[in-house]
Amino acid sequence: MILLQISSAQGPEECTLAVKKALERLIQEAEELSVIADILEEERGQRSGTLRSVLVAIQGENEQQLFERWNGTIKWICESPWRKGVGRKNWFIGIAQFEPIQEMMESEIRFETLKASGPGGQHVNKTESAVRAVHIASGISIKVQTERSQHANRRLACLLMGHRLRQQQNMHQAQFKAERRLFHCQLERGNAVRIFIGMKFIPQN
């Protein structure tokens, strides 16, 4: 399993739209490679249908191939849908692998099993595959039900818990804050690994 963070960095609203489109394209390519892509966390943009950042878990035999295809700076060439007449047409977002702080030990977490729920009454209260994880020391609570098996949801909960704990540490440690800002503020705009064209987000390479 690989965790990917897709970020609009400090870019304008057009970059938050690019994050949304990149996520949709990544999920499409994951399906083509028989790789499972699960959205773990997302931060919505100011405009409807946009995302400032999103954390995605990809897993499958071809997960490394998919990761290498997307890891780095993404360039989107398109006129702004909101600011007509603006000369700028190039928008950049960043995709990087997220490394959990550490493998969470089960002694640090209290697990509860729950019945999975779904939209429209589908798969509601049929299996107890959902998991709620509570980090004993911090009290952080996470519910995971994206996977069909309880074991897979427990593992995913541990990874996501590591992400939450890193975020908590970042709030208290200036060094971690600086590293996080570095990813969000510095994109290699002249060295894009993928280029997409137009509102349909058609890949150029």
Side-chain angles (χ1 to χ4, degrees):
M1 179 184 294
I2 300 176
L3 301 185
L4 293 179
Q5 181 180 3
I6 309 175
S7 174
S8 64
Q10 298 298 313
E13 292 180 330
E14 288 82 359
C15 294
T16 66
L17 180 57
V19 170
K20 176 67 172 179
K21 290 182 175 295
L23 174 64
E24 293 171 349
R25 174 68 64 170
L26 187 148
I27 292 175
Q28 176 185 329
E29 293 185 5
E31 292 178 353
E32 293 170 356
L33 293 172
S34 299
V35 173
I36 298 173
D38 289 320
I39 300 172
L40 303 183
E41 285 190 338
E42 59 182 36
E43 179 185 349
R44 298 186 182 278
Q46 292 185 348
R47 290 182 180 268
S48 176
T50 65
L51 292 171
R52 184 151 297 280
S53 67
V54 61
L55 184 68
V56 185
I58 60 173
Q59 57 181 327
E61 184 177 344
N62 298 314
E63 64 183 37
Q64 187 64 32
Q65 179 183 345
L66 182 65
F67 164 69
E68 292 175 356
R69 184 184 297 179
W70 284 91
N71 184 38
T73 298
I74 305 299
K75 179 180 179 180
W76 180 36
I77 303 175
C78 185
E79 292 186 0
S80 171
W82 304 302
R83 297 183 289 173
K84 302 300 182 182
V86 174
R88 179 177 174 180
K89 296 182 180 180
N90 297 330
W91 317 100
F92 297 88
I93 61 174
I95 301 182
Q97 183 176 9
F98 167 76
E99 296 288 352
I101 300 176
Q102 59 185 5
E103 188 70 24
M104 302 300 300
M105 297 180 62
E106 294 207 2
S107 60
E108 300 177 61
I109 302 175
R110 184 177 71 252
F111 292 98
E112 303 171 6
T113 58
L114 308 166
K115 291 183 178 179
S117 60
Q122 295 178 348
H123 310 300
V124 177
N125 298 328
K126 291 185 178 180
T127 61
E128 291 194 352
S129 59
V131 171
R132 175 178 288 116
V134 180
H135 188 247
I136 298 172
S138 66
I140 295 175
S141 176
I142 294 172
K143 180 182 177 182
V144 179
Q145 62 176 28
T146 55
E147 301 297 328
R148 293 185 179 181
S149 74
Q150 185 183 126
H151 175 75
N153 281 329
R154 283 170 68 101
R155 181 168 180 264
L156 202 55
C158 287
L159 290 170
L160 189 53
M161 187 69 74
H163 178 60
R164 292 283 182 86
L165 288 172
R166 179 182 288 275
Q167 288 181 320
Q168 187 180 74
Q169 287 186 3
N170 286 353
M171 295 177 63
H172 301 289
Q173 300 183 29
Q175 181 179 357
F176 286 156
K177 283 185 177 181
E179 290 176 355
R180 191 168 182 83
R181 282 199 301 270
L182 187 63
F183 171 67
H184 284 291
C185 296
Q186 296 184 358
L187 293 177
E188 295 184 56
R189 288 174 168 79
N191 190 27
V193 296
R194 301 285 299 274
I195 299 175
F196 295 88
I197 309 294
M199 289 300 295
K200 292 186 178 180
F201 215 68
I202 299 173
Q204 187 182 69
N205 60 343

